[in-house]
Every structure is written in structure tokens, then in C-alpha cells.
Amino acid sequence: MSQQQPKTNPERMEKIVSLCKRRGFVFQSSEIYGGLNGCWDYGPLGVELKRNLKDYWWRVMVRERDDVVGMDGSILMNRAVWKASGHEETFTDPMVDCRNCKARHRADQLPEKEGVPYCPNCGSRDLTEARAFNLMFETYVGATQDESSKVYLRPETAQAIFVQFKNVLEVSRKKLPFGIAQVGKAFRNEINPRNFTFRSREFEQMELEYFCAPSQGRDLLEYWLQERLRFYENIGLPREKLHVHEIPAEERAFYSQGTYDIEFEFPFGIQELEGVAYRTDYDLTQHIKASGKPLDYFDEETKQRFVPHVVEPSAGVDRTALALICSAYDEETVTDEKGKSETRIVLRFHPRIAPVKVGIFPLLKNNPQLVAKAREITALLRPHMMTFYDEGGAIGRRYRRQDEVGTPFGITVDFETLGEKGDELKDTVTLRHRDSMKQERVAIKDLLGLILPQVV
Ligand code: GAP
């Protein structure tokens, strides 16, 4: 976390958590059995939000580049991978127990009074000495459960990329600098999962390992920091809420020659979204030593053989999704034509990542012609974007329901659409904009061309 003291807003966070459940973004995992700490299920809207985020990441990090290819590694890997990477030995957090209430805490996150740490649960200062707790979940492959069959659920996606470096290099016929990207689940047995989905035990990562010559590492670290900041702005996170924290040399992993954390101002404080790290040749060298396999690179031009260095932008899907929701959440007072005021809750998502792009409403549900037209428009737009058809309740209520989940556009089919107010308005609809609530008249044939470029 950066040095700046974040202003926290627990009340805002409570409202966001409650909206997430009420509208189907996020549910507690196994809720009917009392839940499972640190695990979350994404509902119909949450899964769309995450999918849009991952798809956009994949688009800009892989598809729109000549120098990056993708892969999808397995979650279970040979245990030797985690011995070589150092995770088996050192992927630990310091843990303390409170002797009074028996609660467990991360020693580095304890509150202090007059420089003395105390238990955040009961206030006692009677804490055990800190001891290292390995965060990897263990399981066993096959029928016997002993040391020889022990494996881990991967705590990061990155290692699959390092151990497949040679295969991917050969099949993709890339030259340095080039990258391998991956999106997938990771698991960490966090001592204290907290802040909703922010620190979970099961989560998703979006990682790029960008391999380069040693001389390029420092510049590429700066390049990827800027690229990643641009990414967050392009999904709608305001630049002023993003912070860059340069990790000082004494706090960095010993092999890193530079690390930046990209942080976001959550209602619970300024916290990390992504790490951008220059990891030198550490990972590949470790796997060369442990496997005895040559994971080096031959540069045709200089005729030199060397172990590539790597710059790693490593982002969390769940944290970014949470940042998007927190950033989008807004409440405003609006007054209707009769002068009645009410609070409008609106998620001001960038249209690109909004779970539903357009709500489609027939003015009256018991008019077959209005319904048929609205269904026709739904069929027209549906192959290209997520739509939501809603015929229930007053039109104002239907708009509000979509505002609350961040749908950027609303289309209303009314009697003008049917040609009842003259031919010039026939086959036109009302297009409503979520943020301004402004409405315009648009021909049905122009809808796709107008909306699609704004939501991709
Ligand atoms: N390969 C490098 C790596 O895994 P990390 O900083 O440990 O680095 C990268 O993790 C990103 O993964 C973090 O910036 C965060 O977004 C996400 N992440 C890590 N632990 C998480 C957790 N317990 N819950 C949710 N996201 C997490």
C-alpha cells in the first residue's frame, strides 16, 4: 500500500456490497450452507462484467499486438514447478494467534497502539510470535495421499508460462521481445480474506510475461506501466483514482530490478490492482537449474545465446471488477415532471464493460404490436451485444432498474414507432442515455450502427 493515507468510506462500501447481492453481481459462495470464507460466486450481471473485462484485456494484450501470444495452462502442475520457483519454500505470510480470543491474523496487518500491536478482534496484546504460513492449497493426485502424490492449486498463473516458454517460442516463431499472456484462476489460502472480493482465496489473474534482452528490461518496465495505466483509463477508471507506487529496493524481491504497484482508491483505502515487475532472468534460470532443460534463447542477429529477462504486468480480475463497480457507483437526486424528488442509483460503467448494453422496452406489455416490435429489435441487436428485454411496470421504473445495473442505453417502443403519430416517426424509437437521461428519436435501422461502436 502506498504512503498516502486513504480516506475510507465504509458506508459507501456497504451500499455497494448490498447492491452487488440485490442485483446479482456477487453472491457469497455456498450461501445456503453459511458460505465459505474468501470464496464468491458471480451472478448473471457479475459474470458479464468479468467477461467484458477479460475479453477487453485479451483484445488489447494479445489480439491487437504482433508480439504477444496466449496460452491456457493447467491449474495442477508438477510439484517440482513450485519447488523451483521458490513458492514451496517462501510463498508465506507471517501469522500470529491471539491467545485471548484465538483469532488468527497476518502479523504485518495488525493495528498498533503506542507502537504495540493488538488483536483487532478483542483488543488483547497477548499475541503469539509470528510464524510463516504457506499460502498454497495442497491436494493429492491419484489414489494414494502421501508426500509423493502431493500437488498444489496454483497460486499464480505465471509459472505455467515460464515452464512452457520454449514450446510457445518454437510454435509461435516469435523473436524477442515477445510475450505470453494468460487469464485464469489462482488460489491462495489467505490468512484473512477481506474487503469483499478484494482479498479472496480463489480469484482470477490476467498475467503477461514479456520476454526481452537484458538491455531492454528497464525501458520495458516503464513502457508496460504506461500501457497498463492506459488500459485502466480505457475501461473507465479515472486517472486521478489510480496511483502508482514504486516499491523501494529494500522491499522488492531480491531478483527484481524494479516493481510498480498500480493502485486504486477503493472506499476501504488505496489498494493494489496490479503489479508491474521487472523480474530479470530469475524465473527461467530457476527452471533451467531445476529441470536441466535449456530455456534459453538464441539471437540470430547477434549470434548470442542468453536467458531472456522478463517484465510482468500481473492484474487481478476480481479486484479490477470491484474497482469498476466502486468507481461506477453514484447516487443523485432527480425530480420528475410532477416535482417529486427521488434518489437515483446509477452505475456509471464505461459502455465497453457494462454487463448489459441496452434495455429494450415496449411501452405497454398488453399491446401485441408494441411487444412484437420490441422483440424484433431485441433479435436485431442480440447477436452483437448483451440486451435485456423488460415489459414489466411503469417505464420510469424500468429505466431506474437498468440505471442501477449500469445499462448505458434504453430503447422504448411506443405508438410513434407504430406510425400512429405520422409516417415520419414510423419505425423510430426513443433512445435514452443512462448518464444524462436525455432521449433522442432514432430510426430502428440506425440503432446497431449507433450503439455498437460505443460498446466494444
Ligand atoms: N505472478 C505475480 C503475482 O502473482 P501478485 O502481486 O501476488 O503477483 C498479482 O498478484 C495480482 O493478483 C494482484 O495485483 C491482485 O490483483 C491479484 N491478487 C493477488 N492475490 C489476490 C487475492 N487474494 N484476491 C484477489 N486478487 C488477488
Side-chain angles (χ1 to χ4, degrees):
M1 201 173 65
S2 77
Q3 297 309 304
Q4 278 161 287
Q5 284 309 308
K7 277 194 229 99
T8 61
N9 190 342
E11 197 191 314
R12 180 179 167 85
M13 195 58 208
E14 255 171 52
K15 287 181 184 170
I16 289 168
V17 172
S18 135
L19 175 93
C20 282
K21 163 133 205 234
R22 188 171 76 244
R23 298 308 311 270
F25 282 92
V26 182
F27 306 119
Q28 204 183 8
S29 162
S30 336
E31 190 188 275
I32 61 168
Y33 291 104
L36 180 66
N37 198 4
C39 298
W40 301 95
D41 292 342
Y42 287 81
L45 292 172
V47 71
E48 291 294 333
L49 178 69
K50 276 217 299 182
R51 189 172 289 264
N52 293 341
L53 170 61
K54 288 184 284 184
D55 284 353
Y56 185 64
W57 188 91
W58 196 260
R59 175 179 140 193
V60 299
M61 300 294 275
V62 182
R63 296 211 171 134
E64 291 184 356
R65 300 187 65 104
D66 291 327
D67 57 350
V68 177
V69 293
M71 69 165 279
D72 186 16
S74 64
I75 285 172
L76 301 177
M77 299 168 79
N78 192 313
R79 184 176 169 187
V81 171
W82 307 109
K83 285 185 199 270
S85 67
H87 283 79
E88 194 169 274
E89 191 71 25
T90 60
F91 194 60
T92 57
D93 275 339
M95 179 171 74
V96 294
D97 288 332
C98 170
R99 290 199 182 89
N100 183 43
C101 73
K102 312 291 176 224
R104 294 218 140 136
H105 305 288
R106 252 175 77 166
D108 55 342
Q109 289 178 346
L110 287 173
E112 292 184 0
K113 232 182 268 159
E114 289 139 18
V116 183
Y118 63 92
C119 170
N121 198 35
C122 71
S124 166
R125 293 176 170 191
D126 191 8
L127 306 170
T128 61
E129 284 296 304
R131 60 204 183 282
F133 173 76
N134 196 298
L135 299 184
M136 286 197 294
F137 282 100
E138 296 174 3
T139 187
Y140 299 89
V141 285
T144 40
Q145 299 202 351
D146 58 24
E147 276 299 296
S148 69
S149 62
K150 190 154 107 184
V151 292
Y152 301 104
L153 302 191
R154 67 180 179 199
E156 61 170 22
T157 64
Q159 294 305 319
I161 298 178
F162 294 126
V163 300
Q164 292 294 358
F165 166 72
K166 204 70 177 187
N167 279 335
V168 178
L169 176 67
E170 275 168 21
V171 296
S172 62
R173 297 171 44 241
K174 294 283 176 204
K175 289 193 170 40
L176 289 189
F178 92 102
I180 306 176
Q182 183 172 203
V183 177
K185 288 263 183 177
F187 304 83
R188 295 182 191 179
N189 197 1
E190 299 284 354
I191 297 169
N192 261 325
R194 61 179 176 174
N195 289 329
F196 197 27
T197 56
F198 180 83
R199 189 176 305 288
S200 307
R201 288 183 168 138
E202 174 174 344
F203 55 95
E204 275 183 285
Q205 290 185 316
M206 305 181 282
E207 297 201 292
L208 170 70
E209 304 303 325
Y210 196 77
F211 300 97
C212 62
S215 59
Q216 298 168 310
R218 275 292 337 173
D219 288 349
L220 283 167
L221 175 68
E222 304 304 322
Y223 166 81
W224 278 110
L225 172 65
Q226 294 310 321
E227 281 295 290
R228 298 303 304 146
L229 287 168
R230 201 153 61 89
F231 171 87
Y232 288 112
E233 283 186 80
N234 286 344
I235 56 172
L237 296 182
R239 183 63 185 85
E240 64 275 12
K241 289 207 162 187
L242 294 165
H243 299 260
V244 176
H245 174 49
E246 185 170 7
I247 310 291
E250 62 278 12
E251 289 174 27
R252 286 198 302 257
F254 69 90
Y255 48 78
S256 171
Q257 279 185 21
T259 301
Y260 294 110
D261 281 351
I262 299 177
E263 302 173 327
F264 178 75
E265 273 180 47
F266 288 94
F268 45 84
I270 298 177
Q271 298 278 350
E272 176 189 330
L273 280 183
E274 162 159 358
V276 185
Y278 174 22
R279 300 175 63 97
T280 65
D281 60 357
Y282 173 76
D283 305 270
L284 286 178
T285 303
Q286 288 296 102
H287 290 301
I288 291 169
K289 280 194 222 152
S291 69
K293 299 288 185 313
L295 301 176
D296 54 4
Y297 177 84
F298 182 69
D299 188 322
E300 302 284 350
E301 275 169 36
T302 62
K303 306 290 176 215
Q304 278 182 328
R305 190 171 279 285
F306 59 90
V307 179
H309 280 211
V310 75
V311 175
E312 176 197 66
S314 171
V317 176
D318 309 78
R319 281 189 189 179
T320 309
L322 184 60
L324 289 168
I325 296 172
C326 291
S327 168
Y329 185 88
D330 195 17
E331 288 175 8
E332 63 177 12
T333 306
V334 287
T335 313
D336 65 15
E337 313 86 69
K338 293 175 195 144
K340 201 171 138 248
S341 292
E342 64 167 0
T343 303
R344 177 170 93 118
I345 297 175
V346 50
L347 289 185
R348 299 189 191 276
F349 284 134
H350 190 295
R352 171 175 284 146
I353 55 99
V356 178
K357 310 301 183 192
V358 55
I360 300 164
F361 319 113
L363 191 62
L364 300 173
K365 74 170 174 195
N366 52 11
N367 180 308
Q369 281 173 295
L370 291 176
V371 168
K373 219 24 159 195
R375 291 277 184 203
E376 213 178 278
I377 296 169
T378 308
L380 172 83
L381 299 179
R382 212 146 53 174
H384 307 276
M385 66 189 77
M386 191 69 188
T387 61
F388 185 76
Y389 174 86
D390 186 5
E391 55 182 30
I395 194 72
R397 290 278 122 224
R398 282 183 267 170
Y399 287 152
R400 287 287 180 278
R401 284 204 289 264
Q402 290 308 303
D403 288 343
E404 208 186 34
V405 298
T407 305
F409 299 103
I411 292 172
T412 305
V413 175
D414 52 22
F415 292 104
E416 277 98 321
T417 317
L418 304 180
E420 292 190 7
K421 302 259 171 80
D423 268 357
E424 68 279 12
L425 290 180
K426 191 168 186 302
D427 285 328
T428 66
V429 290
T430 300
L431 181 66
R432 177 185 180 268
H433 298 264
R434 175 198 66 202
D435 291 345
S436 62
M437 294 189 287
K438 291 231 166 74
Q439 306 192 1
E440 56 177 327
R441 208 68 208 174
V442 175
I444 293 173
K445 66 174 173 39
D446 296 334
L447 282 172
L448 184 60
L450 194 89
I451 299 174
L452 191 59
Q454 301 187 55
V455 300
V456 289

